[in-house]
Amino acid sequence: MAEHPILVTGATGKSGRRVVSRLRAAGHPVRAAARSGEHPFDWTDASTWGAALEGIRAAYVVQLDGTNLVRPFVAQARKHGVRRIVLASGRGIDDPGYVRDRTGMRDGIADSEAAVRESGLEWTISRPGWFAQNFSEGFFADAVAAGELRLPAGDGAATFVDAEDIAEVVAAALTEDGHAGQTYELSGPSAVSLAEAVEAISAAASREIRYVPLSIEDYVAELVDQGLPRAEAAIFADVIEPLREGRDAHVSDGVQRALGRSPRSFAEFVKTATWPGKFG
Ligand SMILES: NC(=O)c1ccc[n+]([C@@H]2O[C@H](COP(=O)([O-])OP(=O)(O)OC[C@H]3O[C@@H](n4cnc5c(N)ncnc54)[C@H](OP(=O)(O)O)[C@@H]3O)[C@@H](O)[C@H]2O)c1
């Protein structure tokens, strides 16, 4: 099996990029696939799937949220002789009350989970909560760089998970035995409120960064003022709801179960991250 590369989709993203690095550091051949990646791959262009899957033994599947493409992709993977699939999913996928879902995104991801479970391949599902990296390179990064994070999250807290931990779990599931049939719920070791998160980042970046809690109405109005269609702004507000309501404040045991150690803390993440605007 050693000569066959491992396919990593979403290879330029927050989790995929780190999976690629870890696999390569351990000496595994990797096919790093994304639209802008080393290996061109587009979920919306099925003619790119075959070349991505040719000759591989295992795949990390980062789906295109809002689509139902994982089921046909997994069927094709099976035909190509792929033996192992690790799927990027998310917390709350099995809980209809976790987040309001106007777009059908949750149904799509639930179908992806069902597709890998029914595939007959060795499968593992990664279900992370909010990534800590949302502050440094994701959803909140621009606001953090600008010095003010304005969200309808009240005094909500979450057990933010470090994408380095996600990548280590995924790399282990791709390369080691003992993870087949596991669904790993991944979180950090303790809940951190947005105010605490921003305070820690502010200290590390040596800049004042504030968290400003907004009402849902004010948040939507601000996004509309910035040019976002109202329907899209409402979807952004929905995404924040689990944070506001504390639905992501519990600790999960996936990192411990998969790696036999505790997850990295938010403080460790803050120390090692690069902060946008730090020197600006
Ligand atoms: N961020 C969070 O807090 C969080 C929490 C729980 C679950 N999740 C889920 O975790 C998954 C992975 O998220 P992530 O944060 O690691 O990813 P990410 O940083 O958002 O990156 C997305 C990746 O997908 C690729 N991509 C986008 N459109 C594509 C297309 N049409 N065809 C092929 N590749 C495409 C991107 O590369 P190109 O643009 O170059 O193609 C990039 O490599 C997502 O399903 C997300 O919903 C995220």
Side-chain angles (χ1 to χ4, degrees), residues 241-253:
E241 185 190 310
L243 249 182
R244 184 176 59 252
E245 301 300 329
R247 287 181 208 135
D248 225 335
H250 58 288
V251 175
S252 298
D253 64 357

Side-chain angles (χ1 to χ4, degrees), residues 148-171:
E148 198 165 79
L149 180 60
R150 301 168 67 80
L151 288 175
D155 56 4
T159 48
F160 297 102
V161 58
D162 194 315
E164 293 294 347
D165 279 349
I166 300 170
E168 194 171 334
V169 170
V170 169

